[in-house]
Amino acid sequence: MSTRHQQQTETTAPTFPVPATFATDTNQYRMHPSRETYAAIAAADQQRAVPSLHVVAGTSRGNLIGRRRDQTLDPQVNRLSHTDGRIRDSSGFAVFSDGELGAMHVTAHRMLDSGQIELGHRLLGARLKGRHGTGSDWVHIQWHMAVFELSLGHWQAAWRRFRQQILPSVINSDDALTDAPALLWRLQLKADRQLCLPWEAVRARSLSAIDQQHSPFVRVHNLLALAGAKDLDSLDMWIRNQTSRNASSVEALVARIARALRAYVSGKYHEAAVEFSAALPHVFELGGSRAQNDLFTELRDSARRRAKAEYDPTLQLQAA
């Protein structure tokens, strides 16, 4: 997983048709046990605390190690590196790499960082074929596979993966606190029309976790869930409570993203684009991988397209 978004280049994301028979039934999915959840913790004093593994309810399973911001990869080198015994993506964020799932995770990041989407889809797909699993690492590998699928235009495959591999963890655990809302937003942004996605289940899980001691990265994804479900009352309450405090710079960043999401789902696309643009240079402070944080660029780009469409009706079909 990763963090710093080194370059923000605006691209127009393609949209893909969704079958008219689209439906969601959460009762058909099996129960999966819960154990872990994802998070990343920001450190003070010009250091970034990078978890080598995931965290359990905000408590690290592995040791956090600090890294000064000037100890980064050459920005022209788009590959994983080994530093301090950790494997890092192109943004310098440590990715989990233990065991067979860890090997898959490293492969997924290597392919994403080098732009080899088709090869990544083929390699990861072959390793996942016929396998079953549970837990946060398993959910995150499924998220990576869905990102490959969406990048190649396989919307229905990514949607099926969400239902079968991620939604059960949403219903029964905190294993998908970040991956579920992130993938639902990507599915929504890549679709060519309004959909009835299972936001309510994701919203309910996030509401149960939003007051717990989680990292800024997890809190942002809780807010993504509220915004995706269009739960404006809960989103407004969170924003009011946050602005009443003396917030740190990272907390202020989370609040800015919350305002951007609030503007986006309220149809104030120009305002959303401005807020997302202001937040993007700093999203690495939240934690998470470059691949994960690309979602905020997609949201910014979508807000810009929609804002343009408001002034030019001929662009409305392109605003996804």
Side-chain angles (χ1 to χ4, degrees):
M1 298 185 299
S2 60
T3 285
R4 185 177 313 204
H5 201 289
Q6 295 173 337
Q7 295 179 339
Q8 281 92 34
T9 56
E10 182 175 2
T11 57
T12 301
T15 60
F16 309 104
V18 179
T21 56
F22 183 90
T24 300
D25 179 8
T26 59
N27 294 324
Q28 64 181 295
Y29 305 118
R30 294 189 313 169
M31 309 268 289
H32 283 199
S34 65
R35 273 174 47 94
E36 301 146 349
T37 183
Y38 287 89
I41 303 173
D45 301 330
Q46 297 184 357
Q47 289 193 354
R48 188 173 151 208
V50 183
S52 58
L53 299 174
H54 298 169
V55 297
V56 181
T59 304
S60 176
R61 281 171 44 197
N63 293 326
L64 296 180
I65 57 175
R67 180 174 67 84
R68 292 203 176 269
R69 292 179 183 173
D70 56 0
Q71 296 177 345
T72 59
L73 292 173
D74 179 346
Q76 302 305 317
V77 179
N78 223 8
R79 58 179 175 80
L80 299 187
S81 66
H82 295 257
T83 3
D84 300 326
R86 303 293 193 267
I87 298 178
R88 302 181 186 277
D89 75 347
S90 62
S91 73
F93 189 84
V95 302
F96 77 84
S97 57
D98 291 345
E100 191 167 1
L101 287 180
M104 293 185 198
H105 192 221
V106 170
T107 297
H109 276 281
R110 181 175 289 118
M111 296 298 100
L112 284 168
D113 283 349
S114 60
Q116 300 181 80
I117 305 303
E118 291 186 11
L119 179 58
H121 176 264
R122 187 163 66 251
L123 291 175
L124 189 56
R127 298 185 74 169
L128 286 173
K129 187 174 181 180
R131 296 177 62 91
H132 304 280
T134 59
S136 62
D137 288 359
W138 175 259
V139 168
H140 189 61
I141 294 299
Q142 296 295 331
W143 176 89
H144 271 285
M145 189 62 192
V147 169
F148 283 132
E149 290 166 339
L150 286 174
S151 297
L152 294 173
H154 306 324
W155 192 96
Q156 294 180 52
W159 161 239
R160 183 166 56 249
R161 189 171 302 280
F162 178 88
R163 285 180 328 201
Q164 295 174 354
Q165 302 293 342
I166 297 180
L167 186 57
S169 291
V170 172
I171 297 170
N172 301 292
S173 76
D174 281 351
D175 289 342
L177 274 181
T178 61
D179 292 318
L183 184 52
L184 273 192
W185 268 107
R186 286 175 184 258
L187 284 162
Q188 187 165 301
L189 291 171
K190 294 288 189 182
D192 63 352
R193 57 188 171 88
Q194 293 296 316
L195 303 173
C196 182
L197 294 170
W199 279 111
E200 182 54 36
V202 176
R203 167 189 169 275
R205 176 59 58 185
S206 294
L207 277 177
S208 71
I210 201 166
D211 292 327
Q212 298 175 23
Q213 291 297 316
H214 285 302
S215 72
F217 188 71
V218 174
R219 290 206 303 276
V220 162
H221 282 76
N222 288 336
L223 296 170
L224 280 164
L226 297 182
K230 293 184 169 54
D231 184 355
L232 299 185
D233 289 341
S234 296
L235 195 55
D236 287 341
M237 181 180 300
W238 187 93
I239 292 172
R240 284 195 303 270
N241 290 340
Q242 184 71 14
T243 54
S244 65
R245 305 172 185 168
N246 293 320
S248 67
S249 61
V250 176
E251 290 168 339
L253 176 61
V254 175
R256 165 158 264 162
I257 293 173
R259 293 194 299 271
L261 291 168
R262 176 65 166 85
Y264 187 97
V265 298
S266 301
K268 300 176 181 178
Y269 299 117
H270 177 73
E271 178 183 336
V274 169
E275 293 283 9
F276 278 126
S277 296
L280 276 174
H282 308 285
V283 291
F284 72 92
E285 298 177 24
L286 300 172
S289 71
R290 181 191 67 81
Q292 288 172 308
N293 289 333
D294 277 349
L295 173 60
F296 301 107
T297 301
E298 291 189 32
L299 283 163
R300 188 276 312 273
D301 293 348
S302 175
R304 285 181 173 178
R305 290 193 301 272
R306 288 174 176 270
K308 287 182 181 179
E310 290 177 343
Y311 298 100
D312 185 352
T314 64
L315 297 175
Q316 289 181 2
L317 292 179
Q318 300 176 24

